[in-house]
Amino acid sequence: MRIDVLTLFPEALAPMLRIGVLGRALDAGLLTVALTNPRDFAHDRRRTVDDTPYGGGAGMVMRCEPLVEAIDSLINVNSLEHVILLSPRGRVFTQQVARELAGLRDMTLICARYEGVDERVSKQVVTDEISIGDYVLSGGEVAALVVVEAVSRMLPGVVGKWESVDTDSFYHGLLGPPQYTRPSLFRGDAAPSVLLEGNHAAIQRWRRKEALRATCARRPELLQQLSEEDLKLLAEIGAETPMTEKENES
Ligand code: ADE
């Protein structure tokens, strides 16, 4: 897969791309991420990429020409069929969206700065808008990194053990179970004995139950399409957890 990222701060994004799983995937050629600076396509000597908004108001707006010309310059390396603007106005990014994007041959991510982007960029070249959550960032760079990381994990060969991706929180619609490693006893707190006993079926059951417990407590709206076994585990959890006084009252 090829991902082109348009950013006014390529030097800030580049080091983040080099670390960990993503860095190794790029080195192995499993994925290409290229950074393009719209400032290189500005028309004036001062390389201006923004201007005051028509109609007045606070802040600056990113101009059309540098952004659209930067995108046009990619025509020989990117199909430009998926040009995504990172914006708080976009559809919310989820694991499901990451999986959808991982199926593409290429995509282009636009990181906006200032108060936004001239609407004609959206009209003429943008095919999708993505938000990483209901809050406003000062720019799309962090959001682009979130998308690149989450999408790259879904590409074949990027994560060494597919099992790691398979058990990621949200992959099967639940939050992940808690994890433990050595030492088995830490300051009086023992790791659950089932994880140390080597009974694979019992471990799987424990993990599923703890994933259900975490999801039930933290994100109950995610509990959908549960199997008979899940319902049984949830019933066990319900029987274990003493009700608080408040819950008893309602
Ligand atoms: N740019 C500013 N805020 C954003 C958000 N929440 N998601 C994506 N891009 C953004």
Side-chain angles (χ1 to χ4, degrees):
M1 176 178 209
R2 179 185 171 102
I3 305 177
D4 282 286
V5 183
L6 270 73
T7 170
L8 295 170
F9 301 98
E11 70 287 353
L13 286 193
M16 288 296 292
L17 298 173
R18 279 200 289 272
I19 57 177
V21 167
L22 182 55
R24 284 195 295 277
L26 292 169
D27 286 345
L30 298 170
L31 160 82
T32 300
V33 180
L35 305 173
T36 300
N37 191 342
R39 205 177 285 287
D40 295 338
F41 296 83
H43 288 190
D44 59 325
R45 220 160 29 89
R46 291 181 54 231
R47 307 211 303 156
T48 314
V49 289
D50 62 325
D51 210 334
T52 52
Y54 278 142
M60 300 291 271
V61 175
M62 286 184 81
R63 295 175 59 111
C64 302
E65 309 96 313
L67 272 177
V68 172
E69 287 172 29
I71 291 168
D72 286 349
S73 77
L74 301 170
I75 190 70
N76 292 324
V77 287
N78 191 306
S79 71
L80 302 180
E81 282 167 17
H82 307 278
V83 178
I84 302 168
L85 176 66
L86 280 322
S87 150
R89 294 173 61 196
R91 62 181 173 131
V92 176
F93 189 61
T94 60
Q95 191 70 28
Q96 175 67 35
V97 177
R99 201 169 326 152
E100 172 197 321
L101 298 181
L104 304 177
R105 194 158 49 90
D106 56 41
M107 65 177 167
T108 305
L109 302 177
I110 305 176
C111 304
R113 281 267 144 184
Y114 314 104
E115 298 307 305
V117 174
D118 189 304
E119 186 63 17
R120 289 163 293 185
V121 175
S122 294
K123 273 209 220 141
Q124 295 182 22
V125 294
V126 170
T127 60
D128 197 0
E129 287 194 32
I130 286 180
S131 163
I132 60 162
D134 288 340
Y135 38 80
V136 180
L137 304 167
S138 303
E141 279 74 15
V142 170
L145 277 174
V146 168
V147 171
V148 170
E149 278 244 11
V151 169
S152 63
R153 285 181 66 77
M154 311 288 302
L155 300 175
V158 168
V159 175
K161 282 190 184 163
W162 179 252
E163 197 191 336
S164 306
V165 175
D166 208 35
T167 56
D168 275 353
S169 285
F170 294 119
Y171 192 76
H172 291 294
L174 296 184
L175 303 185
Q179 299 282 8
Y180 293 84
T181 186
R182 275 181 280 270
S184 62
L185 186 65
F186 176 66
R187 296 188 177 177
D189 199 354
S193 54
V194 62
L195 299 178
L196 284 79
E197 285 160 4
N199 179 339
H200 196 65
I203 292 171
Q204 287 296 95
R205 187 174 194 279
W206 181 88
R207 286 190 167 144
R208 186 75 192 172
K209 186 170 172 181
E210 295 311 311
L212 286 163
R213 191 194 306 277
T215 310
C216 193
R218 298 170 183 199
R219 301 287 306 277
E221 77 279 10
L222 295 175
L223 291 174
Q224 283 164 20
Q225 293 179 339
L226 298 171
S227 66
E228 287 284 310
E229 177 64 12
D230 288 340
L231 294 173
K232 225 190 287 170
L233 292 170
L234 278 172
E236 280 183 27
I237 293 167
E240 279 169 26
T241 318
M243 272 198 189
T244 63
E245 269 173 41
K246 217 160 163 217
E247 281 167 339
N248 255 329
E249 277 163 22
S250 56

